Amino acid sequence: MIPVSSTARRMTSSAIREILKITQRPEVISFAGGLPAPELFPVDPIRAAADRVLAEHGRQALQYSTTEGHLPLRRWIAERSEITADMVQITTGSQQGLDLLGRVLIDPGDIVLVESPTYLGALQAFTPYAPRFVEVATDDDGIIPEALDELLGRVDGRLLYTVPTFQNPTGRTLSAQRRLALLEITRRHLVTVIEDGPYNELRFRGQEVETLFSLARRTTPDDDLNVIMLGTFSKVLAPGLRDAWVQGPRHVIDKLVQAKQAADLHSPTLNQMIITELLDDVLAEQIKIIREAYGQRAAIMIDAVARELPTGVSCTDPDGGMFCWVSLPDESIDTEAMLPEAVANNVAYVPGRPFYAAGERRNTLRLSYATSTEDQIRTGIADLGRVIAERLSSRPAADAPL
Ligand SMILES: Cc1ncc(COP(=O)(O)O)c(C=O)c1O
């Protein structure tokens, strides 16, 4: 056997991918995937944009290009945040942005604070750089500032990774007031914040909230910012384009450029040019369409959950994004062990355990409403309700002898 490196030994494959394999029978209604709705992809505009790009740019669209990314695209991203293009690095998906940030910001043993629960793809991206993850307590309004402050009084946290808007996996959003508190606390404790915002545009209800990045810029010069933000075209255009970005202080972007040069030289030129063609009107229209569709699907799911899941089961009620998060009343119920039973009843979800850095809470699960029809949502949630009710009724009574 060829020995692999210690870095490679730290790598794991995504628990979700393994789980999805068992949910792929066609009759299974799957709320497990994290995929955007494919019927909403702007296929014709992308085809037309590709034709225009090849007609206008010819072979340049197929040539190697700069590591930083296609300048008109970076300028557009920069303008939206009122920053300069040299604060923007294009990446091959936000997932690559997370990996590159791990490479640039994490030394082995560094303490990286993450929400409890958090996006497991970030845990997977950072793990090879050997951090120690510490969970920060959250509630329905996201990270609890007092818990963060107390934690940072005890541990020497270096980085905080957060998805403050329509979080994956919970769908929760950090309140406006807490955003200010989080910035004050992290600045005071000299903690760098990685704000991951793939769902920022997907609000279907309620008031917009300003990003941490934008709030930080109100009081801090760009070179002293402690917030780095990631954005992506995956959820608003199509994830197969693999086009995303990192925005942050220039000295971090300069290091990301070097890291990316080593990783893949640059993101695909053609895709960046196609996306640039779509920025003016197609993107805005897409965002409208997606918000409306996901808003309807979320409302149907939340309604079905309230009616079909047994008393005592709680579920988040997201204002945007793709996910809601279910907690079962009995901590001893293991949603991973319950999954085969759910799949046998033709419904699938993602068990909550892999989303916890410390990995011990087993009575939670993630549901995505993004890719299901109204009928599928109603049928699937009713089936899930029966599976959960069965589990709850078959657990030993609290006072039964052990
Ligand atoms: C919180 C979060 N960050 C990053 C990503 C990766 O996105 P991308 O397709 O841009 O790599 C996802 C994808 O689901 C996500 O949910």
Side-chain angles (χ1 to χ4, degrees):
M1 274 247 283
I2 296 172
V4 300
S5 67
S6 55
T7 304
R9 283 199 299 276
R10 277 191 291 272
M11 293 174 185
T12 52
S13 61
S14 159
I16 288 196
R17 267 174 226 294
E18 297 306 312
I19 286 161
L20 288 181
K21 284 186 196 153
I22 70 159
T23 66
Q24 273 167 2
R25 278 192 289 116
E27 59 278 25
V28 173
I29 296 173
S30 180
F31 305 125
L35 311 180
E39 73 278 13
L40 305 181
F41 293 160
V43 176
D44 291 335
I46 288 176
R47 184 186 298 124
D51 278 347
R52 283 200 303 278
V53 164
L54 289 168
E56 278 167 34
H57 300 275
R59 292 183 168 77
Q60 196 201 331
L62 304 172
Q63 185 56 284
Y64 285 119
S65 60
T66 57
T67 304
E68 290 86 341
H70 187 48
L71 189 55
L73 182 58
R74 291 167 64 219
R75 282 201 181 120
W76 182 88
I77 292 163
E79 263 168 37
R80 287 196 336 161
S81 291
E82 298 173 344
I83 55 175
T84 48
D86 57 2
M87 293 177 69
V88 177
Q89 164 69 62
I90 301 292
T91 58
T92 306
S94 284
Q95 195 62 34
Q96 182 185 48
L98 293 172
D99 174 48
L100 298 179
L101 285 170
R103 218 174 280 201
V104 163
L105 299 178
I106 299 174
D107 280 320
D110 279 354
I111 291 180
V112 175
L113 305 178
V114 293
E115 286 151 343
S116 173
T118 186
Y119 170 53
L120 72 88
L123 298 176
Q124 207 186 359
F126 296 152
T127 293
Y129 306 107
R132 281 181 293 151
F133 291 113
V134 174
E135 292 185 6
V136 189
T138 61
D139 63 16
D140 268 348
D141 285 333
I143 286 179
I144 302 168
E146 296 73 23
L148 177 65
D149 202 6
E150 188 273 329
L151 187 61
L152 285 169
R154 282 190 286 121
V155 305
D156 184 18
R158 168 108 194 244
L159 275 178
L160 168 66
Y161 168 76
T162 173
V163 187
T165 309
F166 318 134
Q167 196 222 24
N168 180 2
T170 61
R172 287 174 182 147
T173 295
L174 186 69
S175 68
Q177 222 178 5
R178 285 191 179 183
R179 287 175 192 238
L180 293 172
L182 183 144
L183 286 174
E184 187 280 314
I185 293 164
T186 52
R187 274 201 216 107
R188 180 156 42 81
H189 290 278
L190 305 178
V191 171
T192 302
V193 179
I194 298 179
E195 176 181 27
D196 193 359
Y199 307 98
N200 285 2
E201 308 292 335
L202 303 187
R203 174 177 290 281
F204 41 73
R205 202 173 63 184
Q207 292 269 314
E208 294 288 333
V209 268
E210 204 170 334
T211 61
L212 294 168
F213 183 85
S214 163
L215 283 171
R217 288 190 71 247
R218 285 167 176 252
T219 52
T220 314
D222 285 342
D223 289 340
D224 294 335
L225 286 176
N226 74 326
V227 182
I228 299 163
M229 189 171 104
L230 297 100
T232 179
F233 294 103
S234 285
K235 315 295 176 180
V236 289
L237 287 175
L241 292 167
R242 307 307 301 130
D243 226 327
W245 71 92
V246 180
Q247 59 189 65
R250 273 170 280 261
H251 65 277
V252 174
I253 297 296
D254 289 348
K255 277 290 151 198
L256 282 180
V257 174
Q258 292 168 1
K260 185 167 165 74
Q261 235 160 42
D264 66 350
L265 299 179
H266 64 82
S267 296
T269 318
L270 180 61
N271 293 8
Q272 294 184 64
M273 287 183 169
I274 290 173
I275 289 175
T276 307
E277 285 283 310
L278 301 174
L279 295 174
D280 286 337
D281 32 306
V282 175
L283 181 63
E285 185 57 26
Q286 271 303 114
I287 290 172
K288 245 198 265 168
I289 293 169
I290 296 168
R291 284 179 174 183
E292 197 177 313
Y294 290 2
Q296 279 170 5
R297 291 170 200 183
I300 293 162
M301 183 170 276
I302 297 304
D303 175 64
V305 160
R307 278 185 298 104
E308 306 285 356
L309 300 194
T311 319
V313 176
S314 66
C315 183
T316 56
D317 188 1
D319 292 331
M322 292 168 38
F323 305 107
C324 60
W325 182 250
V326 173
S327 304
L328 306 189
D330 185 336
E331 300 229 335
S332 68
I333 292 185
D334 181 348
T335 55
E336 227 163 329
M338 188 175 81
L339 184 63
E341 218 167 291
V343 173
N345 283 274
N346 293 335
V347 60
Y349 55 81
V350 183
R353 188 191 56 80
F355 297 97
Y356 294 101
E360 279 321 309
R361 248 144 308 163
R362 292 176 173 273
N363 62 328
T364 52
L365 58 94
R366 188 190 76 179
L367 300 173
S368 163
Y369 40 78
T371 49
S372 306
T373 64
E374 184 169 338
D375 278 353
Q376 286 170 329
I377 295 174
R378 292 195 197 289
T379 311
I381 296 296
D383 291 340
L384 180 61
R386 279 190 292 279
V387 171
I388 295 175
E390 170 96 356
R391 272 278 151 150
L392 290 175
S393 66
S394 64
R395 72 195 150 151
D399 55 357
L402 290 174

